[in-house]
Amino acid sequence: MRVYKKSLVGFLVLLFICVFGLFLVRIIPMYIVKESPILQGTYTCDKLPFTSMVFDLNNDYTFYYYNFDEIDKGTYSKGTDNEHFINSSKFQNTKILNNGKKLTFTIIMDGETYLFKQIDRLPIINFETDD
């Protein structure tokens, strides 16, 4: 009977270690591996009230820039950590610094730094104009 109890206790300890190990394998990587956010969605800027930038991750990293009378389309790519680069006719390999926690990014255009804030997680592309 004593051998049976020792075997049962040993089996339960081994089972506990396995379950705890599986738990750690799922939880620890979330704290160790720092995922860098990828730009996605629609962003606007307070300094430029009629300007928006749209990043469509699901459409081959397509990027759209809308200004009052200007529309530009290109692509974007992930750099290191919080950097992204946009390429289009207006932006040639222009660096964007993304702050994923605050859902913002900064960009330098025409020598000035602008802060864009995410207004929607979805890429909202509006080709309508007021005529």
Side-chain angles (χ1 to χ4, degrees), residues 20-127:
F20 187 69
L22 288 173
F23 174 75
L24 289 179
V25 167
R26 295 271 301 154
I27 297 299
I28 287 180
M30 290 191 288
Y31 295 104
I32 293 175
V33 177
K34 179 184 174 191
E35 271 219 32
S36 300
I38 300 228
L39 284 174
Q40 170 73 16
T42 306
Y43 295 77
T44 60
C45 178
D46 290 339
K47 282 185 178 179
L48 303 168
F50 298 105
T51 302
S52 64
M53 291 188 172
V54 178
F55 298 91
D56 191 354
L57 177 68
N58 297 326
N59 190 15
D60 296 323
Y61 295 89
T62 303
F63 154 77
Y64 299 91
Y65 171 80
Y66 299 97
N67 198 343
F68 184 69
D69 58 351
E70 179 181 14
I71 296 175
D72 190 28
K73 178 182 176 183
T75 60
Y76 69 104
S77 60
K78 179 112 175 71
T80 59
D81 290 335
N82 61 343
E83 291 179 342
H84 286 77
F85 294 92
I86 54 176
N87 286 295
S88 66
S89 58
K90 180 175 177 63
F91 302 98
Q92 289 81 33
N93 206 31
T94 302
K95 183 179 3 178
I96 291 176
L97 296 175
N98 182 19
N99 184 337
K101 291 182 180 180
K102 293 186 178 180
L103 302 174
T104 63
F105 70 84
T106 56
I107 185 171
I108 298 175
M109 293 187 297
D110 302 324
E112 282 198 55
T113 302
Y114 295 98
L115 175 70
F116 279 77
K117 298 176 187 174
Q118 188 180 59
I119 60 168
D120 202 318
R121 293 182 322 153
L122 299 174
I124 300 170
I125 301 164
N126 184 6
F127 288 113

